[in-house]
Amino acid sequence: MTEESQPNTNQNPAKENPDISVKEYRATKRKLKELEKKNCQKIIAIPCSGDQGWYEIAERSALIYYYEVCQKLDTKNKFLADNHSYYDQYEIGYMRSKGVDIIRERIKQAGLYLSESETNNIYTFNLNAKFSNQKLATLKKREHGRRLNNLTPIQANNLDPELHHLLSTSATRLHRICSSRLDKLSSRINGTKIINLIDSLLIKYHQTTMLSKHHCKRIRSQLESMRKDIYQLILEVKILGEAKLWDLELCASISESLYGARDRIETHLRKIISKGEF
């Protein structure tokens, strides 16, 4: 996608229903993920539904669109975690819109519209404001917190939205691929171990949220148990890769979230050991 592409205008509207195959969508999604790593001043939309006219906004673009456009305009939009993809999962999540006209109109209403360009039905809306990495990190944390709050009907303590997000998305993915991407023997043996470990991690996380911050010893015990589980889970995934039951790309994709969860658990353990608090 290049800045030299000619911008669309109302006299040259977007194709209403571009036809895109599953293969084309996956290739575009991979490209989008790379573009989004450094995005701080754009909202990028890609076609995602064959010829049905739906467009997908993801990652940093979705953070900007949801919090700086949709929420300010008080519109009803869903911002979802990417729990259904086996490969190339979005780290933050995605939103969808029927066509690009409504995206353009809302960006204009929010006072952020500068210009736009289109290449192969991929639309880039350039904004007149630039969002810092710190601001986007804050929005990411806010989004994880929002999702956690949606899942937490009772008062809770010791919440870590990022850790919960990493564990819950990993659980969704592992439950699916352990039943669909392993033979019967491996699913019964290796798959069962993996599912038991990720479920145990989620259970212990939620048990920790039920503890008062004054229960430092019990919280530490839970965290130490979670650390043991996460390291064992990382090893179980590694074994499946070495045994060539899962390809290395899939194992690396799964392990990325598990390493993130490990780092969050280690951070909390260091805090509670050094300060006696969570």
Side-chain angles (χ1 to χ4, degrees):
M1 199 172 304
T2 63
E3 296 295 339
E4 291 78 15
S5 301
Q6 291 299 315
N8 281 314
T9 65
N10 291 333
Q11 289 74 36
N12 184 25
K15 295 178 182 178
E16 186 173 350
N17 297 315
D19 195 357
I20 180 171
S21 67
V22 172
K23 183 178 180 180
E24 289 171 330
Y25 164 68
R26 289 174 178 168
T28 306
K29 182 178 179 179
R30 286 193 294 270
K31 181 179 180 181
L32 178 64
K33 285 180 63 180
E34 288 300 313
L35 292 172
E36 288 294 342
K37 288 180 180 179
K38 296 182 179 180
N39 178 27
C40 59
Q41 203 169 1
K42 301 175 181 178
I43 292 174
I44 305 171
I46 64 172
C48 61
S49 60
D51 61 355
Q52 300 303 304
W54 286 91
Y55 279 78
E56 191 165 272
I57 302 170
E59 305 295 69
R60 288 184 167 201
S61 286
L63 285 175
I64 296 170
Y65 188 63
Y66 185 79
Y67 285 102
E68 300 297 324
V69 177
C70 295
Q71 283 216 339
K72 290 186 176 180
L73 298 176
D74 196 26
T75 61
K76 303 297 182 183
N77 294 84
K78 293 182 179 180
F79 191 178
L80 304 171
D82 190 9
N83 293 331
H84 302 288
S85 302
Y86 289 141
Y87 297 100
D88 296 310
Q89 278 192 323
Y90 292 128
E91 178 190 355
I92 303 171
Y94 66 93
M95 301 175 66
R96 287 184 174 173
S97 172
K98 185 72 170 179
V100 295
D101 291 344
I102 192 169
I103 300 172
R104 178 189 301 111
E105 182 60 28
R106 286 177 176 172
I107 294 172
K108 287 182 176 180
Q109 289 177 3
L112 291 174
Y113 185 89
L114 179 63
S115 63
E116 65 184 89
S117 60
E118 178 271 330
T119 303
N120 297 326
N121 296 310
I122 303 173
Y123 286 81
T124 300
F125 294 93
N126 301 302
L127 309 178
N128 57 25
K130 185 174 183 179
F131 298 90
S132 67
N133 289 330
Q134 182 178 0
K135 172 67 173 179
L136 291 168
T138 299
L139 292 181
K140 179 181 175 181
K141 185 175 181 180
R142 182 178 173 186
E143 175 58 18
H144 288 170
R146 182 187 70 84
R147 293 175 190 172
L148 181 59
N149 288 336
N150 288 341
L151 296 171
T152 308
I154 59 175
Q155 184 177 359
N157 303 297
N158 314 314
L159 296 177
D160 183 340
E162 184 175 349
L163 175 57
H164 179 264
H165 174 73
L166 290 167
L167 293 176
S168 61
T169 54
S170 294
T172 301
R173 194 176 188 193
L174 287 169
H175 271 272
R176 289 196 174 115
I177 62 178
C178 281
S179 62
S180 64
R181 300 288 297 276
L182 291 173
D183 57 58
K184 288 185 179 179
L185 177 62
S186 300
S187 179
R188 187 169 65 249
I189 298 175
N190 303 82
T192 298
K193 290 180 183 177
I194 288 172
I195 296 306
N196 286 339
L197 285 166
I198 190 62
D199 286 358
S200 174
L201 280 159
L202 270 172
I203 289 170
K204 289 169 184 174
Y205 171 82
H206 286 296
Q207 287 174 339
T208 304
T209 67
M210 298 176 186
L211 295 173
S212 165
K213 291 186 177 182
H214 300 294
H215 293 92
C216 293
K217 290 183 179 180
R218 292 176 64 186
I219 293 172
R220 176 175 175 175
S221 177
Q222 286 288 90
L223 288 170
E224 288 174 338
S225 182
M226 290 175 71
R227 179 171 62 180
K228 180 180 177 181
D229 286 348
I230 196 71
Y231 276 102
Q232 185 61 38
L233 182 53
I234 289 169
L235 287 175
E236 293 292 342
V237 172
K238 183 178 178 65
I239 288 170
L240 290 181
E242 292 177 345
K244 300 191 179 345
L245 293 169
W246 286 345
D247 61 64
L248 294 180
E249 181 183 356
L250 176 59
C251 290
S253 176
I254 294 169
S255 297
E256 184 177 3
S257 292
L258 299 181
Y259 285 132
R262 176 204 63 186
D263 292 344
R264 297 298 301 171
I265 293 168
E266 293 281 15
T267 296
H268 287 307
L269 258 176
R270 285 195 298 270
K271 285 183 179 179
I272 202 167
I273 289 172
S274 64
K275 300 180 180 180
E277 59 184 29
F278 199 108

